[in-house]
Amino acid sequence: MYIKQIIIQGFKSYKEQTVIEPFSPKHNVIVGRNGSGKSNFFAAIRFVLSDAYTQMGREERQALLHEGTGSAVMSAFVEITFDNSDDRFPTGKPELVLRRTIGMKKDEYSLDRKNATKSDVMNLLESAGFSRSNPYYIVPQGRVTALTNMKDSERLDLLREVAGTQVYGARRTESLKIMTETNNKRAKIDELLDYIRERLAELEEEKEELREYQDKDKERRCLQYTIDHREQVAVAEELEKLDEQRQNGVDDTDDSREQFIQGEKELAEIDAEISELKQQVEFLKVDKKQLEDERRDSARARAKVELEVNGLSDGQQAAQQAKAQYEQELESVQSSIEQHEEELVGLTPQYTEKTLEESSIKSDLASAEAIRQRLYAKQGRNARFRNKRERDDWLRQEIDNSYPQLTKIKAVRMQTNEDIAALEKDISNTEADIVSLREQLDDRGNSSDMMQEQVQAARSERDRLMDERKELWREDAKLDSVMAKAQQELNHAEQTLSHTMDQNTSRGLAAVRRIKRQHNLDGVYGTLAELLEVNPKYRTAVEAAAGNSLFQYVVDNDETATKVIEILQKEKAGRITFMPLSRLKPKIGNIPKASDSIPMIERLQFDPVYEKAFQQVFGNIVVCPNLTISAQYARSHGVSAITLDGDRVEKKGAWHGGYYDPRQSRLEAVRNVTKWRNEYDSHRSRSTEIKRTLDTKDQEITRAVGNLQKAEQKRQQQESSYGPLRQELRSKTASLENKKDNFDAKKRAATNIEANNKALTDQQAAHEAELSSEFKKVLTTDEETQLENLNSTVQDLRRSYAEISSNRSELESRKIILEIELRENLRPRLDQLKAQEFENQEGRSRSSLKESRRELKRITQAIEGVEKKLQEAEELIDQATGQIADLDQRHAETRRQQEEIAKSIERQQKKMDKSIQKRALLTKQAAECKKKIQDLGALPSEAFERFEKTKSDAIVKRLHKVNESLKKYGHVNKKAFEQYNNFTTQRDTLNKRRSELDSSQASIEELIAVLDQRKDEAIERTFKQVSREFANVFEKLVPAGRGSLVIQRKIDRQQPEDDEDSDEEQRRKEKESVENYTGVGISVSFNSKHDDQQRIQQLSGGQKSLCALALVFAIQQCDPAPFYLFDEIDANLDAQYRTAVANMLKSISTGSENGQFICTTFRPEMLLVAEKCYGVRYQKKSSSVVVVSRDEALSFVEGEKQ
């Protein structure tokens, strides 16, 4: 263990908080200028660890606080952190933080940041090895000098202090004090014994006269007992008669009370029935008003629909006549279209065949013409050229010129083919669109019917939802009325309940319920009254037994109770007693097990979770048939007993009873509040649910109306879309005809392009063939023959082409006429007829009529249903009104009977009150008799039978005579026997006490002898240890010398040199006695181990300081400490001794002793062996401690020397 860190703030010169870096567990040296704060640093450590700063006054405290400019320091603290890795402090932690804080009015210690007393701190330090008897582990500045100048006697006192003789001295002083007190007590006992002996002699004379008095007094007490006993018996008989009369009266009262309670229940039931019937009538009136409004609205709607049905019926006949004419003309147009289409279907294949045949002949004719033209051109060319080279050059040029033309023709052919393909696709799409449009136009009747069905379905869904919403509105209106009634009843029940308790409790209960709801506290269960169920037979007994405990609130634990109480205090919302189940420990007494006593808790029904709370209140209460039995069980078993009427006998003897009004029952009031609160909450939940359902229904109706509007809009859009469809059909048809014309033109152009391409290709092939032939001026024979054949072939083909072309032209003309007739006349007429929409108009008229009739039927049925409901409501109202009248009559009759019963109960109660008053007087008289008998004291056995048969008059006369004779004994000491016995007992006790004091004094004298012996042994043992260690330490410091401690005795000075006759044995004992010690001297030799030693008074200053240090080290070796604090102990030493001291410190810190040293010095020797160096600085009137290197510390020391 060692000092690890020190923090100083506000202490002397250390104003700001100074945190000193961790010290080395070995040797630490602190340097600094004079006045910088080195001594204050050591004072701070002593301030925490030693007794130097105790019982300080205000001025002494002020002196420890920092004084300087700036803000005043009001408190200071010093904190020392110890390394406790070796568990020297029994804390179980690796570190111990000890702090002392001082101010003008405080002085506090703390251990590990927790407050502690000074005794705790000192005991902890002593347990770790800090001895109070050896304060030399801290050597402040000047302590070495004091030791140097110390006298031999003072040095002996130091050894006694180190030996711990203060403890023995304190115990010896305490023992002497006890012995003195014992002697004083013994003297007082002797005085008392003398007095008792004198008093006993006087009491012996008074005992005879007292015996005569006692005989007369015994007779008097027997007579008096007989008189009092007879009076007591008479009173008991009278009380028994009263109890019997009271019991009979109670039975009569119970019967009347039962009748009254039954009547009150009957009245409550009648009131409930009347209230329920009135509420039912109100509901029926609300329903009637709503039904009448609904009937009026339905009648208006029916009249409107009837007008629509009549109008639609009149317009339907005219629509049927127009439809017949429309269908006749439509049939004629459709027949013509069919004839033209059939003719066109038969003509089209012939026209196509002729066209293909014409194209084939035309192609053959063009090919023959081209070959013939090439032969004619060749025949003409041969005459133009003179030789083959010229001809071939021209041919090659023609071939080259033909390539661009072929490329252009191919490009045009490709584009034309693409146009043809596009037109074919476009024509196909247009034809499909036309077919689709015609199908839509032809199917418009079915679509209209479908849309009409969708509209009707949407309208039916809307009407259904609206009817459901009306029913919800009606139910919601009923619930509003029911909730208002329930709220009124709840308020009345809560007001009734609040009258049964004080205002603070009432406000508190309401606040707790609100707090539980707001803070969602599941651990707040409820009051006892709310948590129990009890048979009405035991209700009065339970209420009387529990009292205000019925309103104590049961919670799960004290944390919940604390939270609720804090909120109640914050809101100032009343007071409540809480019962935390976690803290309740009910004690169940001796409950009787008999047929005439029933444990009350067995008649209660509650959740087992709350059993502790109910055991706490009802666990020690039993229910009995009457007060007599209740009183017996209360006395015998120590329980509280109660009757069914609420009369209660406490286990301590108190009786509680009287009339209990069942109409003011707390439990019944709680039940009513709970009933109406549950009913209100149920209705409110249902109302909230209905309102949510209404919101949902409104959304559904909105969606249904939206769907209806969408369906009608879609139908209107469909009806209005037929005109655009017809226009689109006409446009598509015209576009199709144009596209077909373009297609035919493109086909013809493609044929021409193909012919041109073939001709140009054939010409190019002929030129290439001519290049490889010989050059001749005329055609060859084969060529001439070919030319002649071609002329004949061309003539034949021209004739065939003309014939075929004529036939194709005739077919084409007829085809065009048919197509124009269909396109321009018949089909437009058909579209025009269909556009008139007679069928749709008639269908819509029929559909509208059908829909109107359906709506009329629905409204009629609704009106019939409303009429039926109205009739039922009126019948129910009449029936309820009659029942209310009957109940009112019954209520009045029952009320009259109740008044008569109440008067009867009141008369019986007055009789019972008088009986109770009389019983109270008799009970008081019986108690007085009992007290008189008790005052007579212990009676002789003859007192119970001696005057049993004597008449009362004779007894009274004899008692008077005895009392007269007792008057002459007025001066007799009636307590002579008692006093004699008391004094005898006191005498024996005092004698025994004196013997004990004698024994105690002997023990104390023996203890003092043992303490003296132990003290002498401790001093002798300490001297030997210190003397041995002093010699060892001195030898280490001065290897060439030697030193020793010398004990000085009185006998050494008192013994004469020529005393030869003294007893040698006596002289030896006196020499060894510690009391004979007068001082401790120091004898040393610095130069030789054999020279004569010198006394310390003969040494130089440095040698004296070295001897003092050797003594300090010797003391420390006898009682090692965990660490040592030395303040400039080497100030007066020579260089060689400073080195020796430094080496010794190093050996102790690194050796087996393993002690920590914190030293201050102005010399270099100690710095050379230090593990860590620190410097103290003083700036701005405040000290601080910082770590410095050894070189910096040496430089500072050298500078201080200069």
Side-chain angles (χ1 to χ4, degrees), residues 839-899:
E839 182 181 358
N840 262 353
Q841 289 178 4
E842 192 273 335
R844 284 197 301 274
S845 176
R846 188 186 304 114
S847 176
S848 299
L849 179 60
K850 184 179 180 182
E851 180 182 349
S852 298
R853 286 174 176 171
R854 188 186 300 114
E855 182 68 14
L856 179 61
K857 183 178 179 181
R858 186 189 67 79
I859 294 174
T860 303
Q861 291 176 350
I863 291 175
E864 291 175 356
V866 170
E867 291 286 352
K868 185 177 180 181
K869 290 181 180 179
L870 273 173
Q871 185 178 359
E872 292 176 356
E874 290 175 353
E875 291 176 357
L876 290 173
I877 289 173
D878 294 339
Q879 182 180 355
T881 304
Q883 291 178 357
I884 289 172
D886 294 340
L887 288 172
D888 285 337
Q889 184 178 359
R890 181 181 166 193
H891 185 276
E893 180 64 23
T894 306
R895 175 59 64 188
R896 184 185 62 76
Q897 294 176 0
Q898 287 293 98
E899 290 176 355

Side-chain angles (χ1 to χ4, degrees), residues 899-1167:
E899 290 176 355
E900 292 178 358
I901 295 172
K903 291 178 181 178
S904 174
I905 292 174
E906 186 177 0
R907 289 193 298 269
Q908 292 173 354
Q909 188 64 37
K910 288 180 180 179
K911 292 180 181 179
M912 291 180 65
D913 290 342
K914 292 180 181 179
S915 176
I916 289 173
Q917 291 176 1
K918 186 176 180 180
R919 189 182 191 286
L921 292 174
L922 290 173
T923 303
K924 183 179 179 181
Q925 186 176 353
E928 290 176 354
C929 291
K930 183 178 180 181
K931 186 176 183 302
K932 289 178 181 179
I933 294 173
Q934 290 176 348
D935 291 343
L936 293 176
L939 295 171
S941 59
E942 63 181 12
F944 304 103
E945 300 177 355
R946 182 177 177 183
F947 302 104
E948 183 178 0
K949 298 180 179 180
T950 306
K951 294 182 179 180
S952 298
D953 295 340
I955 291 174
V956 172
K957 291 178 180 179
R958 189 166 180 176
L959 177 62
H960 177 72
K961 184 178 180 180
V962 170
N963 286 332
E964 289 295 328
S965 62
L966 282 173
K967 289 181 180 179
K968 65 179 181 179
Y969 296 101
H971 64 285
V972 174
N973 182 8
K974 299 178 179 62
K975 295 184 180 181
F977 287 110
E978 182 179 356
Q979 289 175 355
Y980 185 85
N981 293 332
N982 288 339
F983 279 122
T984 303
T985 303
Q986 289 181 13
R987 182 189 61 189
D988 296 340
T989 303
L990 289 174
N991 286 329
K992 184 178 179 181
R993 178 61 178 156
R994 194 178 189 287
S995 299
E996 291 175 354
L997 290 175
D998 293 340
S999 175
S1000 176
Q1001 183 175 6
S1003 299
I1004 293 172
E1005 290 174 350
E1006 183 180 354
L1007 175 62
I1008 291 173
V1010 171
L1011 290 175
D1012 290 341
Q1013 180 182 355
R1014 290 182 180 178
K1015 182 180 70 172
D1016 294 346
E1017 291 174 354
I1019 294 173
E1020 187 71 24
R1021 183 174 57 254
T1022 301
F1023 173 75
K1024 291 178 181 179
Q1025 291 177 354
V1026 175
S1027 179
R1028 182 177 62 252
E1029 295 298 334
F1030 178 81
N1032 294 335
V1033 170
F1034 192 83
E1035 185 176 356
K1036 291 178 181 179
L1037 295 176
V1038 187
R1042 64 188 178 91
S1044 62
L1045 296 180
V1046 180
I1047 197 72
Q1048 296 178 355
R1049 301 176 177 85
K1050 296 178 182 179
I1051 195 169
D1052 294 337
R1053 293 179 294 183
Q1054 295 175 356
Q1055 181 183 358
E1057 293 181 0
D1058 55 350
D1059 188 4
E1060 297 178 358
D1061 299 331
S1062 61
D1063 188 3
E1064 292 294 332
E1065 183 66 21
Q1066 182 67 24
R1067 287 171 56 195
R1068 186 180 63 80
K1069 289 183 178 180
E1070 290 179 357
K1071 191 172 184 179
E1072 291 178 355
S1073 176
V1074 174
E1075 295 297 330
N1076 197 34
Y1077 293 171
T1078 60
V1080 175
I1082 298 176
S1083 297
V1084 296
S1085 173
F1086 281 85
N1087 299 322
S1088 172
K1089 295 184 181 292
H1090 306 288
D1091 292 347
D1092 293 337
Q1093 294 181 343
Q1094 295 176 311
R1095 299 295 298 274
I1096 192 171
Q1097 292 83 0
Q1098 300 170 342
L1099 303 177
S1100 65
Q1103 291 174 336
K1104 289 181 179 180
S1105 297
L1106 184 64
C1107 292
L1109 282 176
L1111 180 59
V1112 170
F1113 288 134
I1115 294 172
Q1116 291 174 350
Q1117 290 297 320
C1118 293
D1119 189 6
F1123 61 87
Y1124 304 97
L1125 306 178
F1126 292 160
D1127 189 5
E1128 298 182 15
I1129 61 172
D1130 57 353
N1132 299 325
L1133 298 179
D1134 298 334
Q1136 60 176 347
Y1137 300 140
R1138 290 198 299 270
T1139 302
V1141 171
N1143 291 331
M1144 174 165 281
L1145 294 180
K1146 181 178 180 181
S1147 66
I1148 294 174
S1149 64
T1150 58
S1152 60
E1153 296 88 347
N1154 196 21
Q1156 182 189 33
F1157 288 92
I1158 302 176
C1159 311
T1160 62
T1161 185
F1162 282 101
R1163 309 298 182 183
E1165 289 79 9
M1166 200 173 290
L1167 291 171

Side-chain angles (χ1 to χ4, degrees), residues 428-445 447 718 721-736 739 827 830-831 834-835 837:
S428 178
N429 292 336
T430 303
E431 288 176 347
D433 293 342
I434 290 173
V435 171
S436 176
L437 289 172
R438 288 189 182 278
E439 288 177 353
Q440 291 183 29
L441 288 172
D442 293 340
D443 196 42
R444 65 184 183 273
S447 299
Q718 186 185 40
S721 67
Y722 292 135
L725 281 176
R726 288 190 294 272
Q727 183 64 32
E728 185 178 0
L729 178 61
R730 285 195 294 270
S731 175
K732 292 275 186 182
T733 304
S735 175
L736 178 63
K739 289 176 182 177
R827 284 201 176 106
L830 178 61
D831 293 338
K834 289 184 177 181
E837 296 183 348

Side-chain angles (χ1 to χ4, degrees), residues 276-337:
E276 185 176 354
L277 288 171
K278 287 182 178 179
Q279 188 175 8
Q280 185 177 352
V281 169
E282 292 296 327
F283 293 160
L284 291 172
K285 288 181 179 179
V286 171
D287 286 346
K288 181 180 177 182
K289 183 177 183 303
Q290 292 177 350
L291 290 171
E292 288 174 349
D293 294 340
E294 188 174 348
R295 181 179 62 179
R296 184 168 55 254
D297 295 339
S298 298
R300 292 174 182 171
R302 182 173 64 180
K304 182 178 179 181
V305 174
E306 286 175 349
L307 290 175
E308 292 180 358
V309 169
N310 294 332
L312 291 171
S313 298
D314 295 340
Q316 189 173 5
Q317 296 177 356
Q320 289 177 352
Q321 294 176 359
K323 179 184 177 184
Q325 182 180 357
Y326 163 78
E327 288 179 348
Q328 183 179 0
E329 187 176 358
L330 180 63
E331 183 178 357
S332 175
V333 172
Q334 288 177 343
S335 178
S336 299
I337 289 174

Side-chain angles (χ1 to χ4, degrees), residues 505-519:
T505 304
S506 176
R507 291 173 55 240
L509 290 176
V512 171
R513 283 193 293 269
R514 175 175 49 78
I515 292 168
K516 175 184 178 181
R517 185 174 60 256
Q518 291 177 351
H519 297 268

Side-chain angles (χ1 to χ4, degrees), residues 68-85:
T69 58
S71 58
V73 176
M74 303 305 296
S75 66
F77 74 84
V78 179
E79 180 178 291
I80 301 177
T81 302
F82 294 95
D83 183 279
N84 191 35
S85 56

